Each structure stands twice: as C-alpha cells, then as structure tokens.
Amino acid sequence: MRNFNYQNKTELIFGKDTEAKVGQKLKGLAKKVLIHYGGGSVVASGLLDRIKDSLTEAQIEFIELGGVKPNPRVGLVREGVTLCKAEGVDFILAVGGGSVIDSAKAIGIGACYEGDVWDFFIQKAKVSNTLPVAVVLTIPAAGSESSTGCVITNEENDYKRSAGHPSMRPIFAILNPELTYTLPAYQTACGLVDMFAHVLERYFTNEPNVTLTDRLCEATLKTIAEQGLAVMATPNEYAGRAEIMWAGTIAHNGSLGVGRSEDWASHMIEHEISGIYDIAHGAGLAIVFPAWMQYVYQHDLGRFVQYAKNVWDIPTEGRTEESIALASIEATKRFFKKIGMPTTFEDANLPIDRLEEMADKAVENGPIGGFVKFERNAVLHILKIAAELK
Amino acid sequence: MRNFNYQNKTELIFGKDTEAKVGQKLKGLAKKVLIHYGGGSVVASGLLDRIKDSLTEAQIEFIELGGVKPNPRVGLVREGVTLCKAEGVDFILAVGGGSVIDSAKAIGIGACYEGDVWDFFIQKAKVSNTLPVAVVLTIPAAGSESSTGCVITNEENDYKRSAGHPSMRPIFAILNPELTYTLPAYQTACGLVDMFAHVLERYFTNEPNVTLTDRLCEATLKTIAEQGLAVMATPNEYAGRAEIMWAGTIAHNGSLGVGRSEDWASHMIEHEISGIYDIAHGAGLAIVFPAWMQYVYQHDLGRFVQYAKNVWDIPTEGRTEESIALASIEATKRFFKKIGMPTTFEDANLPIDRLEEMADKAVENGPIGGFVKFERNAVLHILKIAAELK
C-alpha cells in the first residue's frame, strides 16, 4: 500500500424529502446564491420551484442560471462567472446531475480568478480557491457531488478537459433517491456505466497488497451490477434507486483509490469521443472500457481472474487464466448491453473516421494510463477495437 | 435504507514516516499543544521524542501529560482539563491508541465546560464544543482516530460510559503502520477483535435493502479475519499491518453504518465487564460477542447465513439454515481463539460472581441493542452463556 492523504469534508444528506432542507442548510453559509441547473426535468417536475421556495423561506437571496447541457460547455461557464462577479454571488447551488455540478464547480473557480476560466483546464492556471458549491443531486452517475474535480468541454475546439482541487468538494450534497424515479432509462443506464467505470479505474492497479480497497471496490462493483439491473426493471422502487445513488457517491468519493495507483486511460480516451460527438459520457465509457480490457488483460491475468471471480462469480475450475479473464470482459460487456448501452462505435451510430485525431488528442499531454501506459498507437489500437476494426 | 446524514472531516495521513509531518500539520492550527500519551512504549521507542522534535522544529509550544491506561480513567481526564485551562492549551495531540485518543477527546470537551467532565458521560450535560484534537495512532483498534465518540471509565464506581458529538472527530490522524510492528501480540489481537466488533455491531441490522453497506461490511470483516492472521504470524510485515490499520479506521468511521439501524448491545455489555475487571476491551468483546450471537441468531437466521457465506465462506449446500448460522458463530470463535483471545470468562481468568450486577448496570438507562432489544434478564442470559453457565 502506498502512502496517501484522504479527507472528504462534504456533508451528505441522504434520503426521502431531504431537498426540503436546502434553505435551512444554506442559512449562515450563503448571502446570495446562484442556482445552477439544466432545464427540462428539473423545471417540469417542480423540483426547481421547491428549491426556490425553500430558499425564500430561509430568506436567502438568489439568482438563477439554467441551460447546462450534458458535456457542459465552457461558454455557459463563462456566462456564470460573469454573472457571479457582477451580482456578488457568494455561493453556488447545483441542482441536477454531474454536468450541472461540474459546470457549477467550474463557475466557482472561475469566479475567484481574474483570467479566463479555461486556463484551469489547459494547465495555464492552478486552482487555489473557489466559491463554495452545494448540490441537490438528480442523477446518480458522476460522483461529482463529493469529488474534487470537474470536466468541461470547450465547444470551440471539441476539447473536453478536467480541473481539480480539494477545495472543490461540495460543502454539502442532498441525495434523494425519489428524485431519480423519472430519469429516462437511457440516462439511468449511462449513470450506471459511469459509476461502474469510476470503480474500475481504481480497481485496475499495479499496487500489490491492497486487499481491503480491492474488496471494497468489488463490493461496490457487484452492487452496481446487481442493483443496476433492478432499477432498470423497476425504476420506481426506492430500494434499488437508493443503493445506486449511494454507490455512485462511494464510487467516486476517493476512498476506493487510497494507497493504490489508478488508471484513468479509459476516461481520457472517452473524453475524446464525447468531446467530438457529444454522446453521453456513460455511453462512451461503455464503448471504451471493454476495448481497453481486451487490449490490456494480459498485463495482469491474475487481476482479471480476481475480477471475474469476485465481481461476476465466474467459475474458474478447469479453465485457463486467459479464458477466465476473457469471460470477465464478456460479462462486463453483457452487463452494459443488458442495460441498453452501446459497446461499439456502431452500436452508438458513431462514424469511425476520426479515430486518428482522437488518438492524437488523447496523448497530447503525454502518455496516459496507470495500469498500462499508452502512447498514441496503443490508444488508436483500443479505438480500433471499439470500432471493430481489430 | 433509512435517511441519514454523513460527514467525516478528519484528514487521514497514512503511511511510512508520516509522523514526521506532525509539526508542520499543526502550524496555523495550534498555539499551545497538550501532548497526551500513555507511557512505556511511546517513550521507549523514541516516538514521543520524535514528535516533540517535530513540534519544536515547527516552533509550536507544548506541554505534556502522560499516564493514560487502558480503559482510560476520568481522574486523569480531570487532571488534563485543569491543566488545559491553567496553561491556555488550545489543541490536544494524542499519541497512542484508542485509550489515549479517548482520554484526549474527553479532556477536549471538559476544557470547554464549566462543570465536571463526567457530566457528559451520565447525560447531565451535552457536548457542544471541544478543543481540537489530532492523533498519532500507535494501535489500530478503536477507530477513535476518526470517530465522533470516546469511552471513559470512572474509577470511583467502575462505570464505563461514552460521550459523543460530531465536533469530536479529530482534525487529522497520522497513521503509520510501521509504528505498530512492536505491539505485543496480545494487544494486536485485542485490536483485531475491537475493529471486527465495530463492523459486526453495524452488520447485524433489521433494516432491509442495505445491500451496498452489507457488502462493504463483509469486505472489511473478511479482510480483518484474513490479514489479522497474517499480522499475528508476521508482525513486522508492512503489508498486513497497513491493511489492518486502514481496516480499523474504516470499521469505525461511521460509513459502514449509514442508512441502517445498528446494534451495540455487545459493546455495552462488555463495558460492564471491563469497567469492573479492567481487562482489555477487545478481550472483553471476544468473550461477549459469540455469546450474543448464540443468544440472538434465531432472530434472523437469514442474516447469519449471509454472514456465514460472505465472511467465512462456509459451504451451505445440503445444510439447514440453523446449522449454517451456528457454523458462523463457531468460525467467529475460532478466529478469536486463533489469535489468542479468550472467548469465555474462564479463558480470561475472570470470576463469575458479579454477573447480576453487570446485568443491572447494563440496562440502567433502559433496554439495549438495536438488532434484538434486551432487558436485564436477556443480558444476564448472555453473560451466563459467556460464563458457561448456560
């Protein structure tokens, strides 16, 4: 196990009707709040009105900025930054899923900075400070509700890049599983893949002697796979929705990665796909991860066998390590397919004529991946597997 | 799953040589520190001197109070409170295991209170404030390094009672597994039982649909059982010591109990034993827990079967639920015995003539236990099982 520091200050307020507490929670923390959201469902469901009522009741001043899209754009972030500076906003409340939270986090750091907020995403500036952000979560997926980072897309050049800092963990996050009943099946499924991938990125490590975190990862993966099928089948049942919402937070709060190297190549390759084609991040991950596994499994057959046994209950007797490893990749794919996710470019109706460009961009800042390190050609190889050209 | 709030602000600094950072960590947080410790090993090993050097180097003023014993006494706590008030101490650094940390936490709340600190332990006063506490951990066991509570013994009347408040979570905890190499085998084993019991108290719940936390509990229990045997066999190996140190923190940081009712009857019964006989808390738990299991297993056979399968890999085919449940209790006992722990009063050379008194005291504030609720006679029954009178 490696040396590590771990601290997660986010207060998690989990359960039924918890969004009604938001005004009270903000008391003493905020004078003027920017409520940040997407559009459609948060408005139509009446959630936004309930949030506003709660703030009004607690006598907290607020302004609004809606319009966040999946793969949140730096354009809207810049608008939010200008708004916060002009209006003297001292707190941002994100009402939505990972895209809204990430957009709010980016506005938070931008509002404390003189230059252009994109600087943080291209290593031209380092985050040191942010406006505080809190969350009312409506999509369990990104884990952004208690994580240190955010991912933003620059619509001018199709770059999708991340920034992070411990100060960016939200102050509190309200997690009410009931708010997720009405999520479209496709979005639920994208969320499942996203949280599953967050654990996989940590699980595939070269660090020996990380038994406890291995087991905690396996516990979380197994629960996502099992309860994921349950929520797809019965979207209005509290039990499964609650398990999945909690799993999404655990998957990305950092605790599963302590003391071990992590990978993250699949996320970086996926960012190139959704940066260009604007598909959902979870769908992109469902395409990339099986291809990544296919490419790397021989690097550590033992770990894939462990994954097969402990996550997928794949029988091992009388089989070679290689066949068990391959079966675990098949099981991963099968899970993604069962919940309606694409696992190839074709499944997602994506063209396959810009693979080289994606490979170039993925390694622009150097090789990627902690489990196996990739130069450009390896990335291209993985993209070709996903495009069924290999 | 129940509604819950979870927040754990403690910064965990884990790994080799991390105690050297303590002075730097305290900079800006503390003006005058009380270093609180036990005696023997912390002094003899040179750890205390290294800590003092680190504080001196960081130009942080400090005073010292040693002498904490296992089952820490309110007498020394009162001494610490007086000292803090007289000397204007604004920060307490606990260097030791759970007893030292608990004593430090009690001093912390006492120093912010006008009355007698014992008031907090007999519900005469409620904690609302504390001096900040930080930890250099030397015994993985109690999980007090990131928990909200402490347990103190009143030597005047043999009462062992707890107090707790979110503000009592330590500011930071330094966890260097190397510091635990020299722990006597008996203390290592007591620690293993203590952390194992912290998970069991949460695992045995009546709350349905807590799949993820169940699995996280099982992952932690399995790791303690497996790596516990490893550290007993090879006490100087970093890998196992690190797993156990991290498991002890996870077991009691509160995350494994979210959304579910917990039990804690075994802890309360054990407090009556160690309150009177001053045996190690872990040893007391090794005596009580199997007896508790024996008494309650029929309340929820299914949960004991799950425990048998997922923690102890007990084969279930062709066996009744009852026989599987009983096998899980045997496996628990066998683990405790293997690491040298007593599982009966006789094993621990304890007399059995004060069982009635213990049963009386255990339920003084009403029935105990969340999984099965106990009145006095049930507690007595469990004590009699442990005393081999039933």
Side-chain angles (χ1 to χ4, degrees):
Chain A
M1 204 187 300
R2 294 182 178 189
N3 282 17
F4 65 86
N5 273 37
Y6 182 73
Q7 184 177 34
N8 187 334
K9 291 186 177 181
T10 304
E11 181 182 3
L12 302 165
I13 302 151
F14 190 100
K16 295 178 184 175
D17 301 322
T18 43
E19 69 275 16
K21 296 181 183 171
V22 66
Q24 280 307 315
K25 289 300 305 178
L26 285 169
K27 255 193 163 167
L29 294 176
K31 282 188 184 134
K32 188 163 185 179
V33 173
L34 174 70
I35 304 180
H36 196 40
Y37 56 94
S41 61
V42 164
V43 179
S45 69
L47 175 62
L48 189 66
D49 281 337
R50 297 208 308 282
I51 300 289
K52 290 198 261 183
D53 288 348
S54 177
L55 266 66
T56 304
E57 207 174 303
Q59 297 180 300
I60 291 165
E61 209 184 328
F62 60 84
I63 57 173
E64 293 173 48
L65 179 64
V68 182
K69 293 186 188 148
N71 300 316
R73 311 301 199 277
V74 73
L76 189 70
V77 169
R78 287 183 181 129
E79 209 177 302
V81 169
T82 307
L83 196 62
C84 285
K85 288 179 176 174
E87 297 274 344
V89 164
D90 65 353
F91 203 103
I92 305 172
L93 178 65
V95 182
S99 297
V100 173
I101 304 168
D102 281 10
S103 186
K105 284 175 170 176
I107 294 172
I109 56 176
C112 298
Y113 178 61
E114 288 301 302
D116 176 27
V117 66
W118 188 248
D119 290 352
F120 292 117
F121 297 84
I122 50 171
Q123 278 78 51
K124 251 187 82 177
K126 278 201 169 169
V127 180
S128 64
N129 198 10
T130 178
L131 290 187
V133 172
V135 173
V136 177
L137 187 66
T138 61
I139 310 176
S144 189
E145 63 275 13
S146 85
S147 79
T148 56
C150 70
V151 181
I152 297 293
T153 296
N154 190 324
E155 60 269 45
E156 290 153 20
N157 55 17
D158 294 345
Y159 273 76
K160 185 172 178 179
R161 291 292 179 265
S162 61
H165 189 262
S167 67
M168 290 166 66
R169 288 203 202 265
I171 305 299
F172 65 82
I174 289 178
L175 312 171
N176 177 359
E178 294 175 311
L179 300 180
T180 69
Y181 287 176
T182 52
L183 273 180
Y186 185 78
Q187 257 185 296
T188 298
C190 285
L192 291 169
V193 175
D194 196 11
M195 60 182 79
F196 198 84
H198 285 155
V199 186
L200 290 179
E201 298 283 21
R202 294 171 167 99
Y203 185 66
F204 286 100
T205 184
N206 296 317
E207 190 67 26
N209 305 314
V210 284
T211 310
L212 178 55
T213 41
D214 270 2
R215 287 206 176 96
L216 296 173
C217 285
E218 288 157 1
T220 311
L221 290 168
K222 214 168 165 143
T223 304
I224 297 167
E226 172 196 274
Q227 299 294 318
L229 295 182
V231 297
M232 295 306 291
T234 53
N236 292 331
E237 265 187 30
Y238 187 81
R241 288 290 191 183
E243 298 283 356
I244 286 304
M245 196 167 227
W246 189 231
T249 300
I250 296 285
H252 203 45
N253 69 6
S255 65
L256 301 183
V258 297
R260 46 202 291 148
S261 62
E262 306 181 8
D263 190 69
W264 297 99
S266 298
H267 263 73
M268 294 179 85
I269 297 172
E270 192 292 319
H271 287 172
E272 304 311 332
I273 302 179
S274 55
I276 292 177
Y277 298 115
D278 198 24
I279 67 162
H281 177 51
L285 285 167
I287 296 169
V288 174
F289 237 114
W292 176 87
M293 288 180 165
Q294 187 67 42
Y295 188 73
V296 305
Y297 75 93
Q298 279 164 324
H299 169 70
D300 186 352
L301 273 179
R303 182 149 285 272
F304 275 86
V305 170
Q306 182 183 333
Y307 171 63
K309 279 162 55 178
N310 296 348
V311 176
W312 297 111
D313 295 314
I314 291 171
T316 56
E317 217 173 279
R319 298 173 73 170
T320 63
E321 288 206 317
E322 176 153 25
S323 91
I324 300 164
L326 290 171
S328 77
I329 301 172
E330 273 316 302
T332 310
K333 257 195 195 173
R334 205 159 46 238
F335 168 53
F336 293 165
K337 283 186 183 173
K338 259 194 207 165
I339 60 175
M341 285 286 104
T343 58
T344 62
F345 275 76
E346 193 186 357
D347 284 349
N349 295 316
L350 294 181
I352 55 172
D353 57 344
R354 293 174 74 179
L355 306 185
E356 308 251 349
E357 176 190 346
M358 291 186 233
D360 288 338
K361 284 167 75 178
V363 297
E364 228 172 46
N365 296 317
I368 58 171
F371 185 60
V372 179
K373 212 182 257 297
F374 297 146
E375 308 282 352
R376 177 195 179 274
N377 283 349
V379 175
L380 185 60
H381 195 116
I382 287 169
L383 287 166
K384 284 186 173 173
I385 295 173
E388 295 169 294
L389 298 172
K390 290 254 180 185
Chain B
M1 204 187 300
R2 296 182 177 187
N3 282 18
F4 65 85
N5 273 37
Y6 183 73
Q7 183 177 35
N8 188 334
K9 291 185 177 182
T10 305
E11 182 183 1
L12 302 164
I13 302 150
F14 191 100
K16 294 178 183 175
D17 302 320
T18 43
E19 70 275 14
K21 296 181 184 171
V22 66
Q24 281 307 315
K25 288 301 304 178
L26 285 168
K27 256 194 161 164
L29 294 175
K31 280 188 185 134
K32 188 164 184 178
V33 173
L34 174 69
I35 304 180
H36 197 39
Y37 56 94
S41 61
V42 165
V43 179
S45 69
L47 174 62
L48 190 65
D49 281 337
R50 296 207 310 279
I51 299 289
K52 290 198 261 183
D53 288 348
S54 177
L55 266 67
T56 304
E57 206 173 305
Q59 296 179 301
I60 291 166
E61 209 184 328
F62 61 85
I63 58 172
E64 293 173 48
L65 179 64
V68 181
K69 292 185 187 147
N71 300 315
R73 312 301 201 276
V74 73
L76 188 69
V77 170
R78 287 182 180 130
E79 210 178 299
V81 169
T82 307
L83 196 62
C84 285
K85 287 179 177 175
E87 297 275 343
V89 164
D90 64 353
F91 202 103
I92 305 173
L93 178 66
V95 182
S99 298
V100 173
I101 304 168
D102 281 11
S103 186
K105 284 176 171 177
I107 294 172
I109 56 175
C112 297
Y113 177 62
E114 287 300 302
D116 176 26
V117 66
W118 189 248
D119 290 354
F120 293 117
F121 296 84
I122 51 172
Q123 277 78 53
K124 252 187 80 177
K126 278 201 170 170
V127 180
S128 63
N129 197 9
T130 178
L131 291 187
V133 172
V135 173
V136 177
L137 186 67
T138 61
I139 310 175
S144 189
E145 64 275 12
S146 87
S147 79
T148 57
C150 70
V151 181
I152 298 294
T153 296
N154 189 325
E155 59 270 45
E156 291 153 19
N157 55 17
D158 295 345
Y159 273 76
K160 184 172 178 179
R161 293 291 180 265
S162 61
H165 188 262
S167 67
M168 289 166 67
R169 288 203 202 266
I171 305 299
F172 64 83
I174 289 178
L175 312 170
N176 177 359
E178 294 175 312
L179 300 180
T180 69
Y181 287 176
T182 53
L183 272 180
Y186 184 79
Q187 256 185 297
T188 298
C190 285
L192 291 169
V193 176
D194 195 12
M195 60 182 78
F196 198 84
H198 286 156
V199 187
L200 290 179
E201 298 283 20
R202 295 172 166 98
Y203 185 67
F204 287 100
T205 185
N206 296 317
E207 189 67 26
N209 304 314
V210 284
T211 310
L212 178 54
T213 42
D214 270 3
R215 287 206 176 98
L216 297 174
C217 285
E218 289 156 1
T220 311
L221 290 168
K222 217 171 161 138
T223 303
I224 297 167
E226 172 196 274
Q227 298 295 316
L229 296 183
V231 295
M232 295 305 291
T234 52
N236 292 331
E237 264 186 29
Y238 188 81
R241 289 289 190 182
E243 298 283 356
I244 286 304
M245 197 166 225
W246 189 231
T249 300
I250 295 285
H252 203 45
N253 69 5
S255 65
L256 301 183
V258 298
R260 48 202 290 149
S261 62
E262 307 182 9
D263 189 70
W264 297 99
S266 299
H267 262 75
M268 295 179 84
I269 298 172
E270 193 292 319
H271 286 172
E272 303 311 333
I273 302 179
S274 54
I276 292 178
Y277 297 115
D278 198 22
I279 67 162
H281 177 53
L285 286 167
I287 295 169
V288 174
F289 236 114
W292 175 87
M293 287 180 166
Q294 187 67 38
Y295 187 73
V296 305
Y297 75 93
Q298 278 163 326
H299 169 71
D300 186 351
L301 274 179
R303 182 149 287 271
F304 274 86
V305 170
Q306 183 183 332
Y307 172 62
K309 280 162 52 179
N310 295 348
V311 176
W312 297 111
D313 295 314
I314 291 171
T316 57
E317 218 173 278
R319 299 173 74 170
T320 64
E321 287 205 319
E322 177 154 25
S323 89
I324 300 164
L326 290 172
S328 78
I329 301 173
E330 274 315 302
T332 310
K333 257 195 196 173
R334 206 161 44 238
F335 168 52
F336 293 165
K337 283 185 183 172
K338 258 193 208 164
I339 59 175
M341 285 285 104
T343 60
T344 63
F345 275 75
E346 195 187 356
D347 284 350
N349 295 316
L350 294 181
I352 56 171
D353 57 345
R354 294 174 74 177
L355 305 186
E356 307 251 350
E357 177 191 345
M358 291 186 234
D360 288 338
K361 284 166 76 179
V363 297
E364 228 173 46
N365 296 317
I368 58 172
F371 186 60
V372 180
K373 211 181 256 298
F374 297 147
E375 308 282 352
R376 175 192 178 279
N377 283 349
V379 175
L380 186 60
H381 194 116
I382 287 168
L383 286 166
K384 283 185 173 173
I385 295 173
E388 293 169 295
L389 297 171
K390 292 255 180 184

